[in-house]
Amino acid sequence: MSKKEVGPAPAVTAQPKIIITTKVPGTAAAGTAGQPSVSWQTGLTDCCADTKICLCGGFCPCVLACQLAEQNGECFCLPLLDGSMLALRTGMRARYNIQGSVCSDWVALSFCTACALCQMAREMKHQRAKASEIQYLKQSARELC
C-alpha cells in the first residue's frame, strides 16, 4: 500500500461574510408576505372590551399568563421564567403581523402588565375566531363544489 502525501492546506484569503437582515417597519413579517402590518385589535387600555378577560387579568394575571402560554402552544408554566412573556408577546406580534417593537412590548409588560396580558388575550381570542370563520368558509365552499 502506498501512502498519499497531503500538501499544505490552502491559505485563507478572506474572512467569512456576515449577512444581517432586519425587518423594515411597515413590511411583512415571516409567513405574511405581501400583507401590511396591522394594529392590535384592541388598545392596551381597552380592558373592559371583554369583561371575563378583564376580571381574570385584573385579579389573577398569573392565571391569564399561563392560559396565554398554553394557547400559544407553550408549556403553561412558561410565564414563571423571566422574560418569557416578552418573548410571547413579541412572538404574537410577529405571527399576526402586528405593528410594534420589542421595546414597546417591554414597556407595556413592565408598566402595564395586567393591561398587556388582557390585550394579548383579546388578540388571541380575535385571531382564533377569525381562524374558525375562515375554516367554516372553506368547509362551506367545499360543500358547494
Side-chain angles (χ1 to χ4, degrees):
M1 292 191 161
S2 66
K3 291 184 179 179
K4 286 187 176 180
E5 290 198 28
V6 178
V12 176
T13 58
Q15 292 293 324
K17 293 181 181 178
I18 298 174
I19 300 172
I20 299 173
T21 58
T22 58
K23 183 181 181 309
V24 178
T27 61
T32 57
Q35 296 178 3
S37 296
V38 296
S39 298
W40 291 91
Q41 294 299 315
T42 58
L44 186 62
T45 56
D46 291 341
C47 292
C48 295
D50 188 312
T51 308
K52 183 179 174 185
I53 291 173
C54 177
L55 291 173
C56 187
F59 293 107
C60 302
C62 55
V63 171
L64 185 58
C66 291
Q67 287 176 345
L68 279 169
E70 197 169 40
Q71 289 171 356
N72 276 287
E74 302 293 342
C75 177
F76 76 93
C77 59
L78 178 74
L80 300 176
L81 301 174
D82 284 339
S84 61
M85 291 313 295
L86 177 61
L88 193 64
R89 184 174 174 91
T90 303
M92 279 182 69
R93 269 193 321 93
R95 184 178 310 119
Y96 302 127
N97 200 24
I98 298 171
Q99 295 171 345
S101 66
V102 176
C103 184
S104 65
D105 293 338
W106 180 83
V107 168
L109 285 165
S110 296
F111 298 106
C112 305
T113 305
C115 292
L117 290 174
C118 289
Q119 184 184 39
M120 292 166 64
R122 290 188 307 269
E123 186 68 33
M124 180 62 70
K125 185 176 180 179
H126 171 79
Q127 294 295 337
R128 286 182 166 215
K130 189 167 122 180
S132 294
E133 184 178 326
I134 290 170
Q135 185 65 27
Y136 174 76
L137 292 172
K138 284 181 180 178
Q139 184 178 3
S140 298
R142 282 188 210 131
E143 290 173 0
L144 290 174
C145 293

